[in-house]
């Protein structure tokens, strides 16, 4: 019998990626591998959630810094990643959507030179209904002088990211990441317990045919935003309109589709959220890094999303992200609002 040609595992890919850097010490690979383990644990929990609904589904008694009710699976994912990553020795400090304040690393575990920002579980409103959810992460190098890291380490602009990625718990579990050398995707094979390379060097189409936005907010939008969506709905064969509308309500799922098929995902500022809804550090910046590395574009409508300097850990920005030509068209319409 011939040996099976097993594809590159994620662990191998990360190691080869790191090997390309002369100054590599192995810490970066180590860190990504720890995130990978957390992803496997959360993936198992998400996949069997319905079987232990009482314990895993529904809301906790807690409300997070954003005023949102914390779901049991949000809390589980957050605790899982934090406990695992605090022990890894590669991190100086962490920030998470579910923690008001920066998360420190206990002395006994030792500290490293990296900084991690997390959305432990994205798409909370879809947890209980078996719709795709995910985990988003963003990695920086520590810039503060002390060993323990400081808030300034968590407030770096997206253009300083060393790596970013997401794990999508969908019809299959996929791990997508960039370390600044293209975007690579891996699919989890539960029978061997490994992520295997399934989407090498992902490139986003320059122009798509799908738009993704919560249109329920239409009456809260600016004129430019309304006009842009109306434009996408007009019939014009030559420019591929009308676009299709697709909105899952989990950024990870909407972004994954946008990355593979092209088009635009947006969460605009509106009258009830004048700064937008999505958080810069652990939602917008990592997704912007991934989409730019795939040849796309990410904007606040006015400027490159990765150039925004965060003023606070849980800062929000408006986001327009996806195919380059689509994002540029959105920016043109939004210029009317200025
Ligand atoms: P989270 O579950 O991490 O709080 O993020 C939810 C975000 C994002 O996943 C999604 O794109 C957006 O909120 C959906 O918001 P609306 O329900 O307002 O459309
Ligand atoms: Mn989120
Ligand atoms: Mn979340």
């Amino acid at each position: 019998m011939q040996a099976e040609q097993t594809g590159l595992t994620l662990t191998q890919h990360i190691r080869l990626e790191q090997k390309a850097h002369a100054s590599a010490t192995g810490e970066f690979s180590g860190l990504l591998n720890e995130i990978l383990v957390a992803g496997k644990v959360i993936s198992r929990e998400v996949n069997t959630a319905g079987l232990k609904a009482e314990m895993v589904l529904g809301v906790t008694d807690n409300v997070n810094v954003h005023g949102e009710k914390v779901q049991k699976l949000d809390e589980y994912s957050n605790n899982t990643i934090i406990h695992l990553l605090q022990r890894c020795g590669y991190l100086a400090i962490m920030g998470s959507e579910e923690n008001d304040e920066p998360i420190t690393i206990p002395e006994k575990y030792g500290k490293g030179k990296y900084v991690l920002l997390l959305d432990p579980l994205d798409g909370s409103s879809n947890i209980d209904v078996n719709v795709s959810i995910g985990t988003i992460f963003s990695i920086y190098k520590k810039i503060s002088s002390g060993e323990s890291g400081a808030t300034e380490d968590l407030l770096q602009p997206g253009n300083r990211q060393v790596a970013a990625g997401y794990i999508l718990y969908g019809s299959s579990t996929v791990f997508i990441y960039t370390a600044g050398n293209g975007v690579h995707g891996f699919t989890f094979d539960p029978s061997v317990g490994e992520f295997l390379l399934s989407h090498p060097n992902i490139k986003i189409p320059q122009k798509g045919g799908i738009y993704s936005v919560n249109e329920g907010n239409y009456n809260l939008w600016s004129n430019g935003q309304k006009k842009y969506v109306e434009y996408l709905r007009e019939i014009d064969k030559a420019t591929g309109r009308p676009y299709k509308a697709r909105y899952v309500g989990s950024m990870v799922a909407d972004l994954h589709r946008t990355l593979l098929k092209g088009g635009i995902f947006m969460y605009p500022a509106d009258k009830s959220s004048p700064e937008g809804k999505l958080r810069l550090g652990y939602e917008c910046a990592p997704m912007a890094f991934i989409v730019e590395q795939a040849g796309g574009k990410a904007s606040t409508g006015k400027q490159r999303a990765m150039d925004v300097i965060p003023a606070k850990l849980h800062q929000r920005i408006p986001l327009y992200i996806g195919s380059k030509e689509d994002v540029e068209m959105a920016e043109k319409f939004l210029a009317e609002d200025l």
Side-chain angles (χ1 to χ4, degrees):
M1 202 168 101
Q2 272 220 313
E4 195 183 344
Q5 278 288 334
T6 309
L8 204 62
T9 68
L10 177 51
T11 313
Q12 290 167 344
H13 195 275
I14 291 168
R15 190 179 64 80
L16 293 173
E17 182 101 339
Q18 164 136 21
K19 226 171 145 237
H21 299 280
S23 60
T25 58
E27 288 172 71
F28 177 65
S29 318
L31 174 55
L32 278 174
N33 280 316
E34 299 277 353
I35 296 172
L36 173 65
V37 175
K40 285 183 187 176
V41 176
I42 298 169
S43 177
R44 180 203 59 205
E45 217 54 31
V46 166
N47 279 299
T48 54
L51 300 172
K52 19 188 183 171
E54 271 293 291
M55 273 158 59
V56 180
L57 298 181
V59 291
T60 65
D61 296 331
N62 303 330
V63 172
N64 68 15
V65 63
H66 316 281
E68 301 154 350
K69 281 195 171 165
V70 178
Q71 304 277 324
K72 289 180 189 164
L73 214 47
D74 274 329
E75 197 169 85
Y76 174 86
S77 309
N78 196 40
N79 291 341
T80 300
I81 306 194
I82 291 173
H83 289 150
L84 257 164
L85 273 292
Q86 269 184 331
R87 296 194 299 253
C88 74
Y90 306 123
L91 292 173
I93 194 162
M94 288 188 260
S96 162
E97 178 194 344
E98 303 302 342
N99 294 64
D100 305 7
E101 300 295 330
I103 305 156
T104 54
I105 311 294
E107 213 57 59
K108 61 180 172 188
Y109 297 134
K111 299 177 206 272
K113 62 180 178 210
Y114 290 103
V115 173
L116 181 71
L117 280 157
L118 287 169
D119 180 350
L121 204 62
D122 174 70
S124 308
S125 68
N126 285 321
I127 293 175
D128 291 353
V129 291
N130 224 335
V131 173
S132 301
I133 48 186
T135 297
I136 310 172
F137 64 88
S138 164
I139 300 171
Y140 293 86
K141 275 198 178 142
K142 179 172 76 73
I143 50 170
S144 63
S145 51
E147 245 214 334
S148 301
T151 306
E152 67 173 296
D153 296 312
L154 299 164
L155 300 183
Q156 302 184 58
N159 57 32
R160 295 230 194 106
Q161 286 172 104
V162 176
Y166 60 82
I167 308 161
L168 170 65
Y169 314 108
S171 47
S172 55
T173 296
V174 294
F175 188 110
I176 305 289
Y177 88 104
T178 183
N181 184 24
V183 182
H184 311 286
F186 301 79
T187 302
F188 187 58
D189 181 341
S191 65
V192 291
E194 285 290 351
F195 284 89
L196 302 174
L197 184 62
S198 51
H199 298 73
N201 206 12
I202 298 170
K203 289 289 168 218
I204 185 169
Q206 288 299 289
K207 181 181 177 310
I210 301 174
Y211 73 98
S212 188
V213 66
N214 184 344
E215 231 161 324
N217 293 332
Y218 185 89
N219 287 312
L220 298 168
W221 289 347
S222 69
N223 280 335
Q225 174 64 32
K226 283 181 182 164
K227 282 190 187 160
Y228 175 52
V229 169
E230 276 155 23
Y231 164 83
L232 296 173
R233 287 157 37 164
E234 278 166 17
I235 301 168
D236 178 46
K237 242 184 164 179
T239 51
R241 291 175 293 150
Y243 274 33
K244 287 182 196 299
R246 294 283 185 276
Y247 189 69
V248 176
S250 295
M251 185 198 199
V252 177
D254 282 314
L255 240 297
H256 189 61
R257 182 199 55 249
T258 306
L259 188 64
L260 297 184
K261 295 199 166 178
I264 184 165
F265 168 83
M266 46 198 152
Y267 210 110
D270 63 36
K271 279 183 202 142
S272 69
S273 350
E275 283 161 7
K277 174 178 183 185
L278 299 174
R279 280 64 50 111
L280 173 56
Y282 40 82
E283 291 178 320
C284 304
M287 290 306 194
F289 191 19
I290 292 166
V291 167
E292 282 198 9
Q293 280 290 317
K297 201 169 164 160
S299 163
T300 64
K302 295 185 188 128
Q303 73 172 122
R304 182 180 177 222
M306 286 216 285
D307 289 344
V308 179
I309 299 169
K312 55 181 184 191
L313 176 56
H314 299 288
Q315 179 166 336
R316 298 170 194 267
I317 57 164
L319 185 66
Y320 297 80
I321 184 167
S323 295
K324 192 167 171 282
E325 288 178 26
D326 291 308
V327 173
E328 282 167 1
M329 184 61 86
E331 283 175 332
K332 263 191 209 159
F333 276 90
L334 294 163
E336 279 187 31
D337 294 331
L338 297 176

